[in-house]
Amino acid sequence: MGKVTGFLEIDRQVHKYQPASDRIRHFREFTLPMSDKEVEKQAARCMDCGIPFCHGPTGCPIHNQIPDWNDLVYNRDWDNAIRNLHSTNNFPEFTGRICPAPCEEACTLNLEDIPVAIKTVEQAIADKAYETGHIRPYPPEKKTGKRVAIIGSGPAGMAAAQQLGRAGHDVHVYERESRPGGLMRYGIPDFKIEKHYIDRRIEQMQGEGVTFHCGVNVGVDKPVAELLTEHDAVLYCGGSETPRAAGIPGDDLGGVHDAMPYLVQQNRRVGGEPIQSVAWPSHPIIAGGQHVVVVGGGDTASDCVGTAFRQGAVRVTQLDIRPQPPEKEDKLSVWPYWATKMRTSSSQAEGAEREFQVATLEFIGEEGQLTGVKCCEVDEKRKPIAGTEFVIRADLAFIAIGFAGPAMGGVAAELEGEMKITTDSRRSRNVEANDRDYRTSVDRLYAAGDVRR
């Protein structure tokens, strides 16, 4: 796998970034690509480790055959590298940009803090495949005569559409918004993934016979029952869109928002679309000249931080109720699993002030408008510590603490009401379907993606 002694001879290198002072002036991607020769050297570092944890259940959730395509890149066989990568991953140009890379955490070389630059190599393989014309339509040789409808065009819906289309079915994807991509298009900022990558895949899939129906809000404009009548099977890939309720007093003040309407608005601006979304209606939210507080410590919170800086925020503070993690994990206790350790995203590195082990007690305002966020320190059980209260000045606050299941109306309302679909036992109301055949309790209706998980 790679060069036998490569990991001993070659230092780990990954994509470099534009300086923060430059990248906050635009919404484009800011990674600086490596040359083919540099990527081949990084692929050469993949060692013959015996049991490659990187592509098992501890590493890659979709079981990318990482040692195999590292070896192919090392031997400059880029064509077979993309064939191998596509055998498990429909969209490596997406995952190569936005996946958190648990594979690198599980790499044997991570025991020495120098894992193979797997994510960098993956993105390079996909981008090279576009340059060489390998990624093009591959229409099926035969048609089955079966019609399949897919509700939602996020990653799950797109991947299913491509596979079903190549199997010869007549595939119709119904998307509520004006363009396909789901929250990958409208939720993840362009500085993490530019949307022309999604457009290229949509064009490829249309060439393979997949039909996209945008601006169709299934469950509102078109009932699910009608889709089931018109198609042999229906796959529900609606995602998880209901923001988790924070229950913080004062969240009805002007200036307090859930994270997603803010991110969707800015993505629509960048894409040249009106800011009003079907699912995320809101008046314009701009952080320019504002003091911003972001509640939450995950990726969505980080995306709010980066977006606020690019809009010209004066100060951005991020609140995390979890204790500040150690700079370095105990490898022998946690490897090859994802470790809890201090991680700084590119957005946080642009100047965010981070507060750990802090609870948000209340949003404070005057005349209905947010002026500050009252916080306090918490103990190891996340209980407030008396006497530690403090107030952070805030003109805008974004709540980014995750999602609690599919959107309440539309498809979910019809399925739970008229069709009595079985949901899981959690309050999230996820659609119950296993990961073997993805079949729900409704005949000919299947579910995949975050609406199931």
Side-chain angles (χ1 to χ4, degrees), residues 294-325:
V294 181
V295 180
D299 289 334
T300 303
S302 183
D303 291 345
C304 288
V305 169
T307 299
F309 278 130
R310 282 159 181 76
Q311 289 184 345
V314 173
R315 178 186 180 192
V316 181
T317 306
Q318 187 175 357
L319 308 179
D320 195 331
I321 198 168
R322 299 170 297 183
Q324 181 168 339

PDB file of all heavy atoms in Angstrom, residues 294-325:
ATOM      1  N   VAL A 294     -22.710  33.066  19.182  1.00  0.00           N
ATOM      2  CA  VAL A 294     -23.176  31.807  18.608  1.00  0.00           C
ATOM      3  C   VAL A 294     -23.242  30.773  19.726  1.00  0.00           C
ATOM      4  O   VAL A 294     -22.234  30.511  20.396  1.00  0.00           O
ATOM      5  CB  VAL A 294     -22.236  31.309  17.489  1.00  0.00           C
ATOM      6  CG1 VAL A 294     -22.761  30.003  16.905  1.00  0.00           C
ATOM      7  CG2 VAL A 294     -22.096  32.367  16.400  1.00  0.00           C
ATOM      8  N   VAL A 295     -24.422  30.208  19.948  1.00  0.00           N
ATOM      9  CA  VAL A 295     -24.621  29.205  20.995  1.00  0.00           C
ATOM     10  C   VAL A 295     -24.502  27.827  20.365  1.00  0.00           C
ATOM     11  O   VAL A 295     -25.303  27.450  19.509  1.00  0.00           O
ATOM     12  CB  VAL A 295     -26.003  29.367  21.662  1.00  0.00           C
ATOM     13  CG1 VAL A 295     -26.188  28.308  22.744  1.00  0.00           C
ATOM     14  CG2 VAL A 295     -26.169  30.764  22.225  1.00  0.00           C
ATOM     15  N   GLY A 296     -23.494  27.067  20.765  1.00  0.00           N
ATOM     16  CA  GLY A 296     -23.277  25.739  20.201  1.00  0.00           C
ATOM     17  C   GLY A 296     -21.832  25.558  19.794  1.00  0.00           C
ATOM     18  O   GLY A 296     -21.132  26.525  19.469  1.00  0.00           O
ATOM     19  N   GLY A 297     -21.381  24.307  19.797  1.00  0.00           N
ATOM     20  CA  GLY A 297     -19.970  24.048  19.522  1.00  0.00           C
ATOM     21  C   GLY A 297     -19.695  23.177  18.326  1.00  0.00           C
ATOM     22  O   GLY A 297     -18.568  22.716  18.138  1.00  0.00           O
ATOM     23  N   GLY A 298     -20.713  22.942  17.467  1.00  0.00           N
ATOM     24  CA  GLY A 298     -20.529  22.024  16.348  1.00  0.00           C
ATOM     25  C   GLY A 298     -20.223  22.714  15.028  1.00  0.00           C
ATOM     26  O   GLY A 298     -19.870  23.898  14.976  1.00  0.00           O
ATOM     27  N   ASP A 299     -20.404  21.958  13.934  1.00  0.00           N
ATOM     28  CA  ASP A 299     -20.089  22.475  12.595  1.00  0.00           C
ATOM     29  C   ASP A 299     -21.015  23.619  12.196  1.00  0.00           C
ATOM     30  O   ASP A 299     -20.576  24.586  11.569  1.00  0.00           O
ATOM     31  CB  ASP A 299     -20.201  21.346  11.560  1.00  0.00           C
ATOM     32  CG  ASP A 299     -19.070  20.328  11.694  1.00  0.00           C
ATOM     33  OD1 ASP A 299     -18.004  20.722  12.196  1.00  0.00           O
ATOM     34  OD2 ASP A 299     -19.250  19.170  11.289  1.00  0.00           O
ATOM     35  N   THR A 300     -22.301  23.498  12.512  1.00  0.00           N
ATOM     36  CA  THR A 300     -23.239  24.561  12.136  1.00  0.00           C
ATOM     37  C   THR A 300     -22.873  25.858  12.840  1.00  0.00           C
ATOM     38  O   THR A 300     -22.914  26.940  12.247  1.00  0.00           O
ATOM     39  CB  THR A 300     -24.680  24.145  12.473  1.00  0.00           C
ATOM     40  OG1 THR A 300     -24.988  22.924  11.801  1.00  0.00           O
ATOM     41  CG2 THR A 300     -25.669  25.208  12.031  1.00  0.00           C
ATOM     42  N   ALA A 301     -22.506  25.766  14.109  1.00  0.00           N
ATOM     43  CA  ALA A 301     -22.066  26.952  14.849  1.00  0.00           C
ATOM     44  C   ALA A 301     -20.831  27.554  14.199  1.00  0.00           C
ATOM     45  O   ALA A 301     -20.730  28.779  14.032  1.00  0.00           O
ATOM     46  CB  ALA A 301     -21.780  26.575  16.304  1.00  0.00           C
ATOM     47  N   SER A 302     -19.901  26.702  13.819  1.00  0.00           N
ATOM     48  CA  SER A 302     -18.681  27.183  13.172  1.00  0.00           C
ATOM     49  C   SER A 302     -18.991  27.871  11.849  1.00  0.00           C
ATOM     50  O   SER A 302     -18.381  28.889  11.498  1.00  0.00           O
ATOM     51  CB  SER A 302     -17.727  26.004  12.946  1.00  0.00           C
ATOM     52  OG  SER A 302     -16.512  26.445  12.382  1.00  0.00           O
ATOM     53  N   ASP A 303     -19.967  27.339  11.105  1.00  0.00           N
ATOM     54  CA  ASP A 303     -20.367  27.972   9.837  1.00  0.00           C
ATOM     55  C   ASP A 303     -20.955  29.360  10.079  1.00  0.00           C
ATOM     56  O   ASP A 303     -20.747  30.280   9.284  1.00  0.00           O
ATOM     57  CB  ASP A 303     -21.389  27.094   9.111  1.00  0.00           C
ATOM     58  CG  ASP A 303     -20.781  25.792   8.601  1.00  0.00           C
ATOM     59  OD1 ASP A 303     -19.544  25.698   8.546  1.00  0.00           O
ATOM     60  OD2 ASP A 303     -21.545  24.870   8.253  1.00  0.00           O
ATOM     61  N   CYS A 304     -21.705  29.524  11.184  1.00  0.00           N
ATOM     62  CA  CYS A 304     -22.230  30.844  11.538  1.00  0.00           C
ATOM     63  C   CYS A 304     -21.089  31.806  11.839  1.00  0.00           C
ATOM     64  O   CYS A 304     -21.131  32.987  11.461  1.00  0.00           O
ATOM     65  CB  CYS A 304     -23.151  30.741  12.751  1.00  0.00           C
ATOM     66  SG  CYS A 304     -24.740  29.955  12.427  1.00  0.00           S
ATOM     67  N   VAL A 305     -20.058  31.316  12.527  1.00  0.00           N
ATOM     68  CA  VAL A 305     -18.903  32.142  12.864  1.00  0.00           C
ATOM     69  C   VAL A 305     -18.232  32.655  11.591  1.00  0.00           C
ATOM     70  O   VAL A 305     -17.992  33.860  11.432  1.00  0.00           O
ATOM     71  CB  VAL A 305     -17.900  31.344  13.727  1.00  0.00           C
ATOM     72  CG1 VAL A 305     -16.582  32.102  13.863  1.00  0.00           C
ATOM     73  CG2 VAL A 305     -18.481  31.036  15.098  1.00  0.00           C
ATOM     74  N   GLY A 306     -17.929  31.746  10.659  1.00  0.00           N
ATOM     75  CA  GLY A 306     -17.254  32.140   9.422  1.00  0.00           C
ATOM     76  C   GLY A 306     -18.094  33.077   8.577  1.00  0.00           C
ATOM     77  O   GLY A 306     -17.571  34.019   7.957  1.00  0.00           O
ATOM     78  N   THR A 307     -19.411  32.837   8.543  1.00  0.00           N
ATOM     79  CA  THR A 307     -20.297  33.699   7.769  1.00  0.00           C
ATOM     80  C   THR A 307     -20.357  35.093   8.374  1.00  0.00           C
ATOM     81  O   THR A 307     -20.325  36.106   7.660  1.00  0.00           O
ATOM     82  CB  THR A 307     -21.707  33.079   7.707  1.00  0.00           C
ATOM     83  OG1 THR A 307     -21.629  31.800   7.072  1.00  0.00           O
ATOM     84  CG2 THR A 307     -22.664  33.962   6.927  1.00  0.00           C
ATOM     85  N   ALA A 308     -20.433  35.172   9.708  1.00  0.00           N
ATOM     86  CA  ALA A 308     -20.492  36.473  10.384  1.00  0.00           C
ATOM     87  C   ALA A 308     -19.226  37.292  10.116  1.00  0.00           C
ATOM     88  O   ALA A 308     -19.298  38.503   9.853  1.00  0.00           O
ATOM     89  CB  ALA A 308     -20.698  36.270  11.885  1.00  0.00           C
ATOM     90  N   PHE A 309     -18.073  36.649  10.171  1.00  0.00           N
ATOM     91  CA  PHE A 309     -16.823  37.376   9.888  1.00  0.00           C
ATOM     92  C   PHE A 309     -16.826  37.927   8.466  1.00  0.00           C
ATOM     93  O   PHE A 309     -16.410  39.065   8.217  1.00  0.00           O
ATOM     94  CB  PHE A 309     -15.615  36.468  10.095  1.00  0.00           C
ATOM     95  CG  PHE A 309     -15.182  36.349  11.530  1.00  0.00           C
ATOM     96  CD1 PHE A 309     -14.964  35.109  12.097  1.00  0.00           C
ATOM     97  CD2 PHE A 309     -14.988  37.474  12.315  1.00  0.00           C
ATOM     98  CE1 PHE A 309     -14.573  34.988  13.430  1.00  0.00           C
ATOM     99  CE2 PHE A 309     -14.591  37.370  13.646  1.00  0.00           C
ATOM    100  CZ  PHE A 309     -14.387  36.121  14.198  1.00  0.00           C
ATOM    101  N   ARG A 310     -17.300  37.128   7.509  1.00  0.00           N
ATOM    102  CA  ARG A 310     -17.310  37.572   6.112  1.00  0.00           C
ATOM    103  C   ARG A 310     -18.319  38.688   5.873  1.00  0.00           C
ATOM    104  O   ARG A 310     -18.170  39.461   4.934  1.00  0.00           O
ATOM    105  CB  ARG A 310     -17.579  36.368   5.202  1.00  0.00           C
ATOM    106  CG  ARG A 310     -16.342  35.511   5.008  1.00  0.00           C
ATOM    107  CD  ARG A 310     -16.656  34.089   4.554  1.00  0.00           C
ATOM    108  NE  ARG A 310     -15.423  33.323   4.405  1.00  0.00           N
ATOM    109  CZ  ARG A 310     -14.713  32.838   5.427  1.00  0.00           C
ATOM    110  NH1 ARG A 310     -15.129  33.027   6.665  1.00  0.00           N
ATOM    111  NH2 ARG A 310     -13.594  32.176   5.211  1.00  0.00           N
ATOM    112  N   GLN A 311     -19.327  38.762   6.713  1.00  0.00           N
ATOM    113  CA  GLN A 311     -20.288  39.857   6.596  1.00  0.00           C
ATOM    114  C   GLN A 311     -19.822  41.119   7.312  1.00  0.00           C
ATOM    115  O   GLN A 311     -20.459  42.166   7.187  1.00  0.00           O
ATOM    116  CB  GLN A 311     -21.644  39.416   7.159  1.00  0.00           C
ATOM    117  CG  GLN A 311     -22.367  38.390   6.289  1.00  0.00           C
ATOM    118  CD  GLN A 311     -23.739  38.050   6.831  1.00  0.00           C
ATOM    119  OE1 GLN A 311     -24.066  38.348   7.977  1.00  0.00           O
ATOM    120  NE2 GLN A 311     -24.549  37.410   6.002  1.00  0.00           N
ATOM    121  N   GLY A 312     -18.709  41.021   8.041  1.00  0.00           N
ATOM    122  CA  GLY A 312     -18.151  42.201   8.693  1.00  0.00           C
ATOM    123  C   GLY A 312     -18.494  42.364  10.149  1.00  0.00           C
ATOM    124  O   GLY A 312     -18.551  43.486  10.670  1.00  0.00           O
ATOM    125  N   ALA A 313     -18.718  41.253  10.877  1.00  0.00           N
ATOM    126  CA  ALA A 313     -19.007  41.336  12.307  1.00  0.00           C
ATOM    127  C   ALA A 313     -17.832  41.958  13.062  1.00  0.00           C
ATOM    128  O   ALA A 313     -16.669  41.719  12.742  1.00  0.00           O
ATOM    129  CB  ALA A 313     -19.311  39.949  12.862  1.00  0.00           C
ATOM    130  N   VAL A 314     -18.150  42.774  14.075  1.00  0.00           N
ATOM    131  CA  VAL A 314     -17.123  43.410  14.891  1.00  0.00           C
ATOM    132  C   VAL A 314     -16.462  42.392  15.818  1.00  0.00           C
ATOM    133  O   VAL A 314     -15.245  42.375  16.001  1.00  0.00           O
ATOM    134  CB  VAL A 314     -17.749  44.547  15.731  1.00  0.00           C
ATOM    135  CG1 VAL A 314     -16.727  45.120  16.718  1.00  0.00           C
ATOM    136  CG2 VAL A 314     -18.283  45.638  14.825  1.00  0.00           C
ATOM    137  N   ARG A 315     -17.303  41.517  16.395  1.00  0.00           N
ATOM    138  CA  ARG A 315     -16.794  40.533  17.351  1.00  0.00           C
ATOM    139  C   ARG A 315     -17.708  39.319  17.310  1.00  0.00           C
ATOM    140  O   ARG A 315     -18.929  39.457  17.221  1.00  0.00           O
ATOM    141  CB  ARG A 315     -16.795  41.140  18.749  1.00  0.00           C
ATOM    142  CG  ARG A 315     -16.344  40.212  19.867  1.00  0.00           C
ATOM    143  CD  ARG A 315     -16.543  40.891  21.202  1.00  0.00           C
ATOM    144  NE  ARG A 315     -16.139  40.052  22.331  1.00  0.00           N
ATOM    145  CZ  ARG A 315     -16.436  40.331  23.589  1.00  0.00           C
ATOM    146  NH1 ARG A 315     -17.136  41.416  23.883  1.00  0.00           N
ATOM    147  NH2 ARG A 315     -16.036  39.528  24.552  1.00  0.00           N
ATOM    148  N   VAL A 316     -17.126  38.130  17.353  1.00  0.00           N
ATOM    149  CA  VAL A 316     -17.907  36.893  17.362  1.00  0.00           C
ATOM    150  C   VAL A 316     -17.456  36.044  18.545  1.00  0.00           C
ATOM    151  O   VAL A 316     -16.274  35.724  18.678  1.00  0.00           O
ATOM    152  CB  VAL A 316     -17.742  36.088  16.049  1.00  0.00           C
ATOM    153  CG1 VAL A 316     -18.601  34.828  16.105  1.00  0.00           C
ATOM    154  CG2 VAL A 316     -18.131  36.937  14.841  1.00  0.00           C
ATOM    155  N   THR A 317     -18.422  35.689  19.401  1.00  0.00           N
ATOM    156  CA  THR A 317     -18.148  34.843  20.566  1.00  0.00           C
ATOM    157  C   THR A 317     -18.931  33.552  20.418  1.00  0.00           C
ATOM    158  O   THR A 317     -20.129  33.580  20.121  1.00  0.00           O
ATOM    159  CB  THR A 317     -18.563  35.546  21.866  1.00  0.00           C
ATOM    160  OG1 THR A 317     -17.931  36.821  21.934  1.00  0.00           O
ATOM    161  CG2 THR A 317     -18.160  34.713  23.075  1.00  0.00           C
ATOM    162  N   GLN A 318     -18.269  32.439  20.630  1.00  0.00           N
ATOM    163  CA  GLN A 318     -18.919  31.130  20.524  1.00  0.00           C
ATOM    164  C   GLN A 318     -18.982  30.489  21.906  1.00  0.00           C
ATOM    165  O   GLN A 318     -17.972  30.398  22.614  1.00  0.00           O
ATOM    166  CB  GLN A 318     -18.152  30.233  19.553  1.00  0.00           C
ATOM    167  CG  GLN A 318     -18.846  28.912  19.265  1.00  0.00           C
ATOM    168  CD  GLN A 318     -18.131  28.098  18.204  1.00  0.00           C
ATOM    169  OE1 GLN A 318     -17.148  28.523  17.622  1.00  0.00           O
ATOM    170  NE2 GLN A 318     -18.634  26.902  17.955  1.00  0.00           N
ATOM    171  N   LEU A 319     -20.197  30.050  22.283  1.00  0.00           N
ATOM    172  CA  LEU A 319     -20.418  29.464  23.605  1.00  0.00           C
ATOM    173  C   LEU A 319     -20.588  27.960  23.489  1.00  0.00           C
ATOM    174  O   LEU A 319     -21.387  27.479  22.694  1.00  0.00           O
ATOM    175  CB  LEU A 319     -21.666  30.076  24.250  1.00  0.00           C
ATOM    176  CG  LEU A 319     -21.737  31.603  24.317  1.00  0.00           C
ATOM    177  CD1 LEU A 319     -23.059  32.034  24.953  1.00  0.00           C
ATOM    178  CD2 LEU A 319     -20.557  32.164  25.097  1.00  0.00           C
ATOM    179  N   ASP A 320     -19.858  27.222  24.303  1.00  0.00           N
ATOM    180  CA  ASP A 320     -19.924  25.759  24.291  1.00  0.00           C
ATOM    181  C   ASP A 320     -20.112  25.287  25.728  1.00  0.00           C
ATOM    182  O   ASP A 320     -19.319  25.629  26.613  1.00  0.00           O
ATOM    183  CB  ASP A 320     -18.635  25.182  23.697  1.00  0.00           C
ATOM    184  CG  ASP A 320     -18.755  23.717  23.314  1.00  0.00           C
ATOM    185  OD1 ASP A 320     -19.561  23.003  23.950  1.00  0.00           O
ATOM    186  OD2 ASP A 320     -18.037  23.278  22.398  1.00  0.00           O
ATOM    187  N   ILE A 321     -21.181  24.512  25.963  1.00  0.00           N
ATOM    188  CA  ILE A 321     -21.460  24.056  27.329  1.00  0.00           C
ATOM    189  C   ILE A 321     -20.495  22.955  27.768  1.00  0.00           C
ATOM    190  O   ILE A 321     -20.344  22.687  28.965  1.00  0.00           O
ATOM    191  CB  ILE A 321     -22.929  23.558  27.436  1.00  0.00           C
ATOM    192  CG1 ILE A 321     -23.371  23.516  28.902  1.00  0.00           C
ATOM    193  CG2 ILE A 321     -23.105  22.205  26.744  1.00  0.00           C
ATOM    194  CD1 ILE A 321     -24.863  23.321  29.083  1.00  0.00           C
ATOM    195  N   ARG A 322     -19.806  22.351  26.826  1.00  0.00           N
ATOM    196  CA  ARG A 322     -18.864  21.282  27.167  1.00  0.00           C
ATOM    197  C   ARG A 322     -17.569  21.868  27.722  1.00  0.00           C
ATOM    198  O   ARG A 322     -17.193  22.984  27.365  1.00  0.00           O
ATOM    199  CB  ARG A 322     -18.563  20.441  25.924  1.00  0.00           C
ATOM    200  CG  ARG A 322     -19.773  19.754  25.334  1.00  0.00           C
ATOM    201  CD  ARG A 322     -19.479  19.148  23.981  1.00  0.00           C
ATOM    202  NE  ARG A 322     -19.116  20.177  23.011  1.00  0.00           N
ATOM    203  CZ  ARG A 322     -18.868  19.934  21.721  1.00  0.00           C
ATOM    204  NH1 ARG A 322     -18.926  18.686  21.267  1.00  0.00           N
ATOM    205  NH2 ARG A 322     -18.555  20.914  20.902  1.00  0.00           N
ATOM    206  N   PRO A 323     -16.867  21.122  28.581  1.00  0.00           N
ATOM    207  CA  PRO A 323     -15.577  21.629  29.074  1.00  0.00           C
ATOM    208  C   PRO A 323     -14.552  21.713  27.951  1.00  0.00           C
ATOM    209  O   PRO A 323     -14.651  20.999  26.952  1.00  0.00           O
ATOM    210  CB  PRO A 323     -15.162  20.595  30.133  1.00  0.00           C
ATOM    211  CG  PRO A 323     -15.952  19.369  29.819  1.00  0.00           C
ATOM    212  CD  PRO A 323     -17.216  19.815  29.161  1.00  0.00           C
ATOM    213  N   GLN A 324     -13.587  22.586  28.109  1.00  0.00           N
ATOM    214  CA  GLN A 324     -12.541  22.692  27.086  1.00  0.00           C
ATOM    215  C   GLN A 324     -11.765  21.384  27.044  1.00  0.00           C
ATOM    216  O   GLN A 324     -11.234  20.930  28.069  1.00  0.00           O
ATOM    217  CB  GLN A 324     -11.595  23.851  27.393  1.00  0.00           C
ATOM    218  CG  GLN A 324     -10.505  24.005  26.340  1.00  0.00           C
ATOM    219  CD  GLN A 324      -9.750  25.317  26.477  1.00  0.00           C
ATOM    220  OE1 GLN A 324     -10.249  26.275  27.076  1.00  0.00           O
ATOM    221  NE2 GLN A 324      -8.554  25.372  25.926  1.00  0.00           N
ATOM    222  N   PRO A 325     -11.701  20.745  25.873  1.00  0.00           N
ATOM    223  CA  PRO A 325     -11.035  19.439  25.794  1.00  0.00           C
ATOM    224  C   PRO A 325      -9.520  19.579  25.846  1.00  0.00           C
ATOM    225  O   PRO A 325      -8.981  20.675  25.641  1.00  0.00           O
ATOM    226  CB  PRO A 325     -11.496  18.906  24.428  1.00  0.00           C
ATOM    227  CG  PRO A 325     -11.803  20.127  23.629  1.00  0.00           C
ATOM    228  CD  PRO A 325     -12.292  21.162  24.600  1.00  0.00           C
TER     229      PRO A 325
END
